[in-house]
Amino acid sequence: MENISRKGAKLQTKTQRVSFATLRLCVKYFLVTAVVLTCVGVASSQTKPARAHASMSPEAKELLEQAIGVVCTQAKLDPQSSVAIDEMQARPSLPVQSPEARAGAERAQRLLPVAKTLVISSLRQLSTDYGLQKSPRFNVRLRLAIARVNSVKRVRPDMDSRDNASVYLSRPHVITFGTIFLAGLRSDEGMISVLAHELMHIADGDNDSLRALVGAIGNKASDLTGLDIHGQRGEEVTCDLIGAMAVRAFIVSTPGYESVARRLARSVQHNCVDLDEGDEDHLSPRNTIRALLALNPGLVRELINDRF
Ligand SMILES: [Zn+2]
């Protein structure tokens, strides 16, 4: 990493720390020739204190905690559950040609077109939900963001990326995917969630062009949870929210014999870690689930009511 010039608000200096992963951390590197965005599991230490505004009722909070319980119980029961990010990072590297990595790469490439479509519809939905569709300036940015999503063509499996997924924003048609990560997402729902997360970073681009939407979502998540979800935290939560929305729409369009709750849980259960820590720029994994479910109470209802 020695030829990385370190600048930019999103830059982290601890991305390459190897230890027990507790958090999916996404970082932009500014290389000589490229901007690269990497989502990686790292250990980290601290969560900021709560904001003053709490606007969820005690009953809603109780339901939300029950829904988290469903997600992380399914992580143990579901044979296709996503492996927790701390467990992924502790695993040995996996060759690209291993059967698990190949299966994951094939799954990712197969699902990329549907993930792109679902991300675009989720982006449009959120723009309406947050009152941004009337802004001509935002609409121009949204159109360009959608064009960036549409330009993504390929998933590139990479052994050295381990449990990371990366996007080089100068080559935004490729998502580089670590083989451990490919193998750890054992369902279409888990894979779509992560593909959608990366596609949302591509949509936002290297100039944070969707910052109006990201900021609004971060503010709302902060108000609902009492957690500080601004700046980079807001972007990550937005990417995860797009992932959960994409999975929800995928489930509706592909009904099957499995419960809706089991399938929905796969969109977030890589956050069911044992050691739950965040840092200044990132919510802890379990708080990530909390923020997503606070933003989307429909998911809470379905996780609790559609378990069978
Ligand atoms: Zn990310």
Side-chain angles (χ1 to χ4, degrees):
M1 307 309 294
E2 58 281 359
N3 58 352
I4 292 171
S5 76
R6 298 188 180 280
K7 56 186 176 183
K10 294 178 178 176
L11 192 63
Q12 301 294 305
T13 55
K14 51 191 168 187
T15 39
Q16 299 305 310
R17 184 190 298 178
V18 177
S19 61
F20 298 105
T22 60
L23 182 64
R24 190 144 178 276
L25 172 62
C26 296
V27 188
K28 272 180 184 167
Y29 299 115
F30 294 81
L31 302 174
V32 174
T33 55
V35 180
V36 55
L37 184 74
T38 296
C39 298
V40 54
V42 296
S44 44
S45 54
Q46 175 195 337
T47 303
K48 279 194 169 177
R51 278 164 61 106
H53 325 114
S55 49
M56 287 180 74
S57 68
E59 293 77 17
K61 285 182 181 170
E62 171 60 29
L63 283 175
L64 192 154
E65 294 303 319
Q66 283 181 31
I68 294 174
V70 172
V71 169
C72 295
T73 301
Q74 282 296 333
K76 298 189 179 80
L77 299 176
D78 178 5
Q80 288 191 73
S81 65
S82 298
V83 177
I85 49 185
D86 53 350
E87 193 182 329
M88 277 192 222
Q89 198 178 38
R91 291 184 172 185
S93 295
L94 196 59
V96 169
Q97 291 307 322
S98 67
E100 306 97 305
R102 288 179 63 163
E106 283 164 17
R107 185 194 299 280
Q109 191 63 47
R110 169 172 57 84
L111 292 169
L112 182 60
V114 69
K116 287 161 58 176
T117 302
L118 294 171
V119 164
I120 290 166
S121 58
S122 301
L123 262 176
R124 290 199 168 115
Q125 178 68 50
L126 286 175
S127 301
T128 303
D129 291 350
Y130 285 79
L132 292 163
Q133 83 283 10
K134 292 175 186 158
S135 160
R137 189 174 173 191
F138 182 82
N139 279 323
V140 169
R141 292 177 169 204
L142 182 61
R143 269 201 301 279
L144 294 171
I146 287 170
R148 282 192 288 274
V149 171
N150 275 325
S151 77
V152 179
K153 300 289 183 237
R154 197 163 71 84
V155 172
R156 184 176 75 87
D158 179 40
M159 181 169 169
D160 292 336
S161 292
R162 290 182 46 82
D163 59 327
N164 308 332
S166 302
V167 177
Y168 290 79
L169 293 174
S170 58
R171 286 185 286 141
H173 54 289
V174 178
I175 297 173
T176 300
F177 226 119
T179 47
I180 293 174
F181 212 179
L182 284 170
L185 300 168
R186 298 179 290 197
S187 66
D188 286 1
E189 292 82 7
M191 188 62 75
I192 284 174
S193 169
V194 172
L195 285 172
H197 180 113
E198 300 303 325
L199 289 167
M200 175 58 200
H201 281 307
I202 290 170
D204 197 38
D206 51 3
N207 289 315
D208 298 333
S209 62
L210 300 177
R211 70 177 75 90
L213 178 63
V214 167
I217 290 170
N219 286 341
K220 184 174 180 187
S222 298
D223 289 346
L224 289 171
T225 61
L227 299 162
D228 181 352
I229 310 176
H230 299 100
Q232 180 67 13
R233 285 182 173 187
E235 180 168 336
E236 298 307 328
V237 164
T238 301
C239 291
D240 284 333
L241 178 62
I242 292 268
M245 291 172 72
V247 170
R248 169 73 175 66
F250 175 72
I251 292 169
V252 169
S253 68
T254 58
Y257 65 90
E258 294 175 303
S259 73
V260 169
R262 169 165 285 190
R263 297 181 69 191
L264 267 183
R266 293 167 181 163
S267 69
V268 292
Q269 68 197 169
H270 50 282
N271 293 299
C272 292
V273 295
D274 288 332
L275 188 59
D276 187 41
E277 294 179 340
D279 68 12
E280 187 173 343
D281 288 339
H282 305 84
L283 291 174
S284 76
R286 285 175 186 266
N287 274 343
T288 295
I289 306 179
R290 208 161 268 124
L292 289 181
L293 296 183
L295 286 166
N296 198 331
L299 299 178
V300 173
R301 284 192 295 276
E302 290 183 319
L303 283 164
I304 291 173
N305 295 332
D306 295 332
R307 277 178 276 181
F308 307 105

